[in-house]
Amino acid sequence: MQETPFCLRVGHLLPYSMSDFNTTDFTNPSTFILLGIPGLEAAHVWISIPFCTMYAIAVLGNFTILFIVKTEPSLHGPMYYFLFMLAVTDLIISMTIMPKMLAIYWFSSREIYFSACLTQLYFLHCFSVMESGIFVAMAFDRYVAICHPLRHSTILTNSVVAKIGLAVLLRGGMLALPFPFLVRQWPYCKTNIIPQPYCAHMAVVKLACADTHASSYYGLFVVLCLIGLDVSFISLSYTQILRVIFSLPTKDARIKTFETCISHLCAIFVFYIPNLFFSFMYRFAQNVPLHLHILIANVYLLMPPMLNPIIYGVRTKQIRDRLLRLCTH
């Protein structure tokens, strides 16, 4: 049973065959070789330019969000605390993969130690699960703010927000923890070549010369946790939110209330829609070249960290005004 690539950042399976690469006979390698984008090695320097730009925007944008939320007292509320958590998560995800990816593109530094590969794999999947959990927490915040506005400050107190953040962190850490342990237990005797620029669960498991169904089943379980639980909860929250919005007496009130949800909805679409696109491409576009699959996967990993601070910076008046004041001074 193969793991679906729908949740790419949690345990994806790129459609390649190891017969496409040279193999050697050995057992349990101490290092892996990350190829970057196979077939486009000559263009790695040029390919690095847009990825480096996206990385710079992601780092600058998320640090700006962190600074503004921390220094602006009017933003010390549940919605902005969750935004603070989202910015931290996006920073860690981008910093987990991009330094090594740029080293491959610029300096052909393709070797990665087995332990470093496991660490990268764990952080990538852990904080990806956390990001999905933060979107659920944000959906709950919007539900309480719109459906129970008089009780918002009593329901989402600072201690409750801290507990939600801790629950999101523990869930991400616990769900991702089996990934490196599963990878570590398999023997590797096919090849140590990973045909992409970072370590991901199924990309490494595909190199094992053993029955790896346990890894596939667990990856599928994590995907179902995200898709089945998180998306369902977000959908349920917005069903209740829309019911309240449509019951408001005036059009202006409906528009004004809905506008408070637009940033969150845009961030959700940026996070989940590319997964759908990649899933359909994987299933129905089998003739798409491997390098195109990998390029799309790389872009998807960097899109949310890059776009989230832009979405919230443009759409949130308090953040926009504070940023303008900073630029003015």
Short mmCIF file of all heavy atoms in Angstrom, two decimals, residues 52-66 87 90-92 94-95 98 302 305-306 309:
data_model
loop_
_atom_site.label_atom_id
_atom_site.label_comp_id
_atom_site.label_asym_id
_atom_site.label_seq_id
_atom_site.Cartn_x
_atom_site.Cartn_y
_atom_site.Cartn_z
N CYS A 52 16.33 31.29 -3.79
CA CYS A 52 17.00 32.15 -2.84
C CYS A 52 16.16 33.40 -2.56
O CYS A 52 16.07 33.87 -1.41
CB CYS A 52 18.38 32.54 -3.37
SG CYS A 52 19.37 33.51 -2.20
N THR A 53 15.52 33.92 -3.59
CA THR A 53 14.65 35.09 -3.42
C THR A 53 13.46 34.76 -2.52
O THR A 53 13.11 35.52 -1.62
CB THR A 53 14.15 35.58 -4.79
OG1 THR A 53 15.28 35.87 -5.63
CG2 THR A 53 13.29 36.83 -4.65
N MET A 54 12.84 33.60 -2.78
CA MET A 54 11.72 33.17 -1.94
C MET A 54 12.16 32.99 -0.49
O MET A 54 11.44 33.37 0.44
CB MET A 54 11.13 31.86 -2.49
CG MET A 54 10.48 31.99 -3.85
SD MET A 54 10.02 30.38 -4.56
CE MET A 54 8.64 29.92 -3.48
N TYR A 55 13.33 32.42 -0.30
CA TYR A 55 13.86 32.19 1.05
C TYR A 55 14.10 33.52 1.76
O TYR A 55 13.74 33.68 2.94
CB TYR A 55 15.15 31.38 0.94
CG TYR A 55 15.82 31.08 2.26
CD1 TYR A 55 15.10 30.57 3.33
CD2 TYR A 55 17.19 31.28 2.42
CE1 TYR A 55 15.73 30.28 4.53
CE2 TYR A 55 17.83 30.98 3.61
CZ TYR A 55 17.09 30.48 4.66
OH TYR A 55 17.71 30.19 5.85
N ALA A 56 14.69 34.48 1.05
CA ALA A 56 14.96 35.79 1.65
C ALA A 56 13.66 36.48 2.05
O ALA A 56 13.55 37.08 3.13
CB ALA A 56 15.76 36.65 0.67
N ILE A 57 12.65 36.40 1.18
CA ILE A 57 11.35 37.02 1.49
C ILE A 57 10.71 36.33 2.70
O ILE A 57 10.15 36.99 3.58
CB ILE A 57 10.41 36.94 0.26
CG1 ILE A 57 10.95 37.80 -0.88
CG2 ILE A 57 8.99 37.37 0.63
CD1 ILE A 57 10.20 37.62 -2.19
N ALA A 58 10.82 35.00 2.74
CA ALA A 58 10.24 34.24 3.86
C ALA A 58 10.90 34.63 5.18
O ALA A 58 10.22 34.88 6.18
CB ALA A 58 10.38 32.75 3.61
N VAL A 59 12.23 34.69 5.20
CA VAL A 59 12.95 35.01 6.44
C VAL A 59 12.66 36.45 6.86
O VAL A 59 12.31 36.72 8.02
CB VAL A 59 14.47 34.79 6.25
CG1 VAL A 59 15.24 35.34 7.46
CG2 VAL A 59 14.77 33.31 6.07
N LEU A 60 12.78 37.39 5.92
CA LEU A 60 12.54 38.80 6.25
C LEU A 60 11.09 39.03 6.67
O LEU A 60 10.83 39.71 7.67
CB LEU A 60 12.89 39.67 5.03
CG LEU A 60 12.67 41.18 5.20
CD1 LEU A 60 13.57 41.73 6.30
CD2 LEU A 60 12.95 41.91 3.88
N GLY A 61 10.15 38.45 5.93
CA GLY A 61 8.73 38.65 6.23
C GLY A 61 8.34 38.08 7.58
O GLY A 61 7.65 38.74 8.36
N ASN A 62 8.79 36.89 7.88
CA ASN A 62 8.40 36.26 9.15
C ASN A 62 9.09 36.90 10.35
O ASN A 62 8.46 37.04 11.41
CB ASN A 62 8.68 34.75 9.10
CG ASN A 62 7.66 34.00 8.27
OD1 ASN A 62 6.50 33.89 8.65
ND2 ASN A 62 8.08 33.47 7.13
N PHE A 63 10.34 37.32 10.20
CA PHE A 63 10.98 38.06 11.28
C PHE A 63 10.28 39.40 11.52
O PHE A 63 10.17 39.86 12.67
CB PHE A 63 12.47 38.27 10.99
CG PHE A 63 13.34 37.17 11.50
CD1 PHE A 63 14.16 36.44 10.65
CD2 PHE A 63 13.37 36.85 12.86
CE1 PHE A 63 14.97 35.41 11.13
CE2 PHE A 63 14.18 35.83 13.35
CZ PHE A 63 14.98 35.11 12.48
N THR A 64 9.80 40.02 10.45
CA THR A 64 9.06 41.27 10.60
C THR A 64 7.77 41.05 11.36
O THR A 64 7.41 41.84 12.25
CB THR A 64 8.75 41.87 9.21
OG1 THR A 64 9.97 42.09 8.50
CG2 THR A 64 8.01 43.19 9.35
N ILE A 65 7.04 39.97 11.03
CA ILE A 65 5.82 39.64 11.76
C ILE A 65 6.12 39.41 13.23
O ILE A 65 5.42 39.91 14.13
CB ILE A 65 5.15 38.38 11.15
CG1 ILE A 65 4.62 38.67 9.74
CG2 ILE A 65 4.03 37.88 12.05
CD1 ILE A 65 3.43 39.59 9.68
N LEU A 66 7.18 38.66 13.53
CA LEU A 66 7.55 38.40 14.92
C LEU A 66 7.86 39.70 15.66
O LEU A 66 7.42 39.90 16.80
CB LEU A 66 8.77 37.47 14.97
CG LEU A 66 8.58 36.03 14.46
CD1 LEU A 66 9.89 35.26 14.56
CD2 LEU A 66 7.50 35.31 15.25
N ALA A 87 4.47 32.20 12.25
CA ALA A 87 5.70 32.77 11.71
C ALA A 87 6.92 31.98 12.18
O ALA A 87 7.85 31.73 11.40
CB ALA A 87 5.82 34.24 12.14
N ASP A 90 6.97 28.72 10.17
CA ASP A 90 7.41 28.94 8.79
C ASP A 90 8.92 29.19 8.71
O ASP A 90 9.59 28.73 7.77
CB ASP A 90 6.64 30.12 8.18
CG ASP A 90 5.24 29.75 7.76
OD1 ASP A 90 5.00 28.55 7.53
OD2 ASP A 90 4.38 30.64 7.65
N LEU A 91 9.44 29.92 9.68
CA LEU A 91 10.89 30.16 9.70
C LEU A 91 11.67 28.85 9.86
O LEU A 91 12.65 28.62 9.15
CB LEU A 91 11.25 31.11 10.85
CG LEU A 91 11.12 32.61 10.58
CD1 LEU A 91 11.34 33.40 11.86
CD2 LEU A 91 12.11 33.06 9.51
N ILE A 92 11.22 28.01 10.77
CA ILE A 92 11.94 26.76 11.01
C ILE A 92 11.86 25.84 9.79
O ILE A 92 12.85 25.20 9.42
CB ILE A 92 11.38 26.06 12.27
CG1 ILE A 92 11.71 26.90 13.50
CG2 ILE A 92 11.98 24.65 12.43
CD1 ILE A 92 11.10 26.38 14.79
N SER A 94 11.49 26.69 6.57
CA SER A 94 12.34 27.20 5.49
C SER A 94 13.82 27.05 5.84
O SER A 94 14.64 26.71 4.98
CB SER A 94 11.99 28.66 5.19
OG SER A 94 12.13 29.47 6.34
N MET A 95 14.18 27.28 7.11
CA MET A 95 15.59 27.15 7.50
C MET A 95 16.03 25.69 7.60
O MET A 95 17.24 25.41 7.59
CB MET A 95 15.82 27.85 8.85
CG MET A 95 15.74 29.35 8.77
SD MET A 95 15.98 30.14 10.38
CE MET A 95 16.02 31.88 9.90
N MET A 98 16.38 25.04 3.26
CA MET A 98 16.99 25.93 2.28
C MET A 98 18.51 26.04 2.37
O MET A 98 19.17 26.08 1.33
CB MET A 98 16.35 27.32 2.38
CG MET A 98 15.03 27.43 1.66
SD MET A 98 15.08 26.85 -0.05
CE MET A 98 16.33 27.91 -0.77
N LEU A 302 8.24 26.16 -0.06
CA LEU A 302 8.59 27.54 0.24
C LEU A 302 7.42 28.51 0.09
O LEU A 302 7.51 29.64 0.57
CB LEU A 302 9.75 27.99 -0.65
CG LEU A 302 11.13 27.50 -0.24
CD1 LEU A 302 12.15 27.85 -1.30
CD2 LEU A 302 11.53 28.09 1.10
N PRO A 305 5.72 29.67 3.75
CA PRO A 305 6.57 30.59 4.52
C PRO A 305 6.76 31.93 3.84
O PRO A 305 6.92 32.95 4.54
CB PRO A 305 7.91 29.83 4.61
CG PRO A 305 7.54 28.40 4.48
CD PRO A 305 6.40 28.38 3.51
N MET A 306 6.76 31.97 2.52
CA MET A 306 6.94 33.23 1.82
C MET A 306 5.65 34.05 1.79
O MET A 306 5.66 35.27 2.01
CB MET A 306 7.41 32.97 0.38
CG MET A 306 7.62 34.25 -0.42
SD MET A 306 7.96 33.98 -2.17
CE MET A 306 6.36 33.40 -2.76
N PRO A 309 3.44 35.80 5.59
CA PRO A 309 3.65 37.16 6.11
C PRO A 309 3.15 38.24 5.15
O PRO A 309 2.70 39.30 5.60
CB PRO A 309 5.17 37.24 6.29
CG PRO A 309 5.74 36.15 5.47
CD PRO A 309 4.72 35.07 5.43
#
